[in-house]
């Protein structure tokens, strides 16, 4: 990640913190390298089980015309979080799926962190690019179906727009 892109990414991500200066200081000089960021203002976070989230991240990576949004991996909790535009009326349904919006907080490493138990699979680019909910819906549905077939279960039927089935 080039220095200007890293700086832009850090500024963009730190803006979601209650104290952006302290957040940036922790990322650069702190002991944990992790800061708390508020969801719901600039972005929401769709949290899915790790196995499904990694498949979705791989699928999104294969779409050449798609500008992927940030994606965070938490190997300790076995979860993947995708940053989406904040939409308070959106409902995502599925086993192990949570949408973190206004009033929720996430722990996030510095944007350049691509190693460790908490790391970015796709770091923020600093321009505000987020994952597209409609694309996420299709990707989640497809990957959930693949996992269901691999595990010998039938995939659930689609219910509603922007409803991720897992």
């Amino acid at each position: 990640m080039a220095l200007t892109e890293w700086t832009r990414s850090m500024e963009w991500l730190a803006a979601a913190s209650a104290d952006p200066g302290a957040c940036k200081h922790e990322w650069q000089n702190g002991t944990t390298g992790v800061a708390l960021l508020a969801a719901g203002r600039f972005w929401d976070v769709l949290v899915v089980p790790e196995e499904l989230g990694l498949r979705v991240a791989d699928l999104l990576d294969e779409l050449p015309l798609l500008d992927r949004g940030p994606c965070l991996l938490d190997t300790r909790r076995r979860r993947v979080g995708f940053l989406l535009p904040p939409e308070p009326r959106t409902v995502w349904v599925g086993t192990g799926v949570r949408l973190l919006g206004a009033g929720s907080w996430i722990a996030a490493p510095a944007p350049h962190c691509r190693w460790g138990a908490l790391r970015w699979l796709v770091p923020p680019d600093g321009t505000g690019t987020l994952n597209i909910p409609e694309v996420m819906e299709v990707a989640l549905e497809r990957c959930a179906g693949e996992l269901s077939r691999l595990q010998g279960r039938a995939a659930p039927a689609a219910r509603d727009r922007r409803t991720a089935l897992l």
Side-chain angles (χ1 to χ4, degrees), residues 81-139:
F82 297 90
L83 274 61
L84 303 171
E87 295 187 35
R89 293 180 300 275
T90 301
V91 175
W92 295 81
V93 178
T95 304
V97 173
R98 293 183 308 153
L99 182 66
L100 304 177
S104 300
W105 294 79
I106 68 164
H112 66 280
C113 186
R114 306 282 304 255
W115 59 90
L118 183 62
R119 66 183 177 266
W120 293 100
L121 293 175
V122 179
D125 63 8
T127 67
T129 300
L130 297 169
N131 290 291
I132 302 167
E134 293 81 4
V135 173
M136 287 298 303
E137 176 186 8
V138 172

Side-chain angles (χ1 to χ4, degrees), residues 30-140:
T31 57
T32 66
V34 175
L36 286 178
L37 305 177
R41 183 171 155 207
F42 299 118
W43 34 260
D44 288 346
V45 183
L46 181 65
V47 180
V48 301
E50 181 181 43
E51 186 176 14
L52 176 62
L54 292 174
R55 285 183 176 269
V56 169
D58 285 344
L59 177 62
L60 296 176
D61 191 39
E62 294 171 7
L63 301 174
L65 300 177
L66 180 68
D67 288 332
R68 297 185 309 152
C71 176
L72 187 62
L73 172 64
D74 184 343
T75 59
R76 288 192 183 125
R77 289 181 180 79
R78 300 188 52 122
R79 299 281 182 255
V80 176
F82 297 90
L83 274 61
L84 303 171
E87 295 187 35
R89 293 180 300 275
T90 301
V91 175
W92 295 81
V93 178
T95 304
V97 173
R98 293 183 308 153
L99 182 66
L100 304 177
S104 300
W105 294 79
I106 68 164
H112 66 280
C113 186
R114 306 282 304 255
W115 59 90
L118 183 62
R119 66 183 177 266
W120 293 100
L121 293 175
V122 179
D125 63 8
T127 67
T129 300
L130 297 169
N131 290 291
I132 302 167
E134 293 81 4
V135 173
M136 287 298 303
E137 176 186 8
V138 172
L140 284 165

